[in-house]
Amino acid sequence: MGLQEKKAINAIKEQYFGDYQKELNEVVGKELPIEINWETFDLNSIKFIPSVCLQRTVDAFKEVCSDKDGKEAVQESINRIEVNNIEEANAGELKSLSLSNGTFLINACYGGHHSGFFTDTDMKDYLESNL
């Protein structure tokens, strides 16, 4: 990882990450850490973390936790969110969501075509079907 990537990551951490994390915790009603595997992101994909990765994830949880049953299911079943950026080639077929051992895992391509990442509705539907 080069200097440009490090600077971009630090800017996101300073300007956006804390606010999104705080909002997610309030929506869910507990600490739910978002763990971004920064090493998987290149400079192009880093710039999409606030709007495509964090915002859509928080929006999905807002929908799932909009009622008591959804909020309880999330609180009981999810302890952390892990995000990995995948290669752009075939990202539409290779992207994945999974929920296992308290971890909601998002593997998507954030720097490429929109077919490589998940919308908030995609994540909401997945969570509601798997909680």
Side-chain angles (χ1 to χ4, degrees):
M1 182 178 303
L3 180 59
Q4 287 182 316
E5 289 85 1
K6 288 177 184 176
K7 285 185 174 197
I9 289 168
N10 285 331
I12 287 170
K13 287 179 179 178
E14 290 172 15
Q15 294 175 23
Y16 302 103
F17 194 82
D19 290 337
Y20 280 110
Q21 183 66 70
K22 181 181 177 188
E23 184 178 6
L24 178 66
N25 293 345
E26 289 172 1
V27 165
V28 173
K30 74 171 194 174
E31 282 287 315
L32 183 56
I34 303 170
E35 299 173 6
I36 296 177
N37 291 324
W38 297 102
E39 308 80 37
T40 64
F41 284 80
D42 60 14
L43 190 58
N44 182 50
S45 58
I46 289 169
K47 65 185 173 187
F48 291 102
I49 290 174
S51 61
V52 178
C53 175
L54 296 173
Q55 183 66 58
R56 290 170 193 248
T57 302
V58 170
D59 287 348
F61 276 88
K62 282 181 184 175
E63 290 294 318
V64 174
C65 295
S66 65
D67 61 36
K68 181 179 159 239
D69 293 332
K71 187 178 268 192
E72 284 177 359
V74 169
Q75 289 175 348
E76 292 169 3
S77 302
I78 304 176
N79 298 315
R80 69 187 198 102
I81 300 168
E82 183 179 333
V83 179
N84 295 299
N85 189 57
I86 62 172
E87 294 288 324
E88 189 172 347
N90 300 315
E93 294 88 44
L94 299 175
K95 67 182 181 180
S96 65
L97 298 172
S98 65
L99 181 56
S100 178
N101 299 321
T103 298
F104 179 46
L105 178 62
I106 306 167
N107 292 312
C109 178
Y110 292 99
H113 189 266
H114 65 83
S115 65
F117 59 81
F118 295 98
T119 66
D120 50 334
T121 303
D122 294 333
M123 289 186 272
K124 174 192 82 75
D125 291 346
Y126 176 85
L127 290 168
E128 288 181 343
S129 295
N130 289 278
L131 286 172

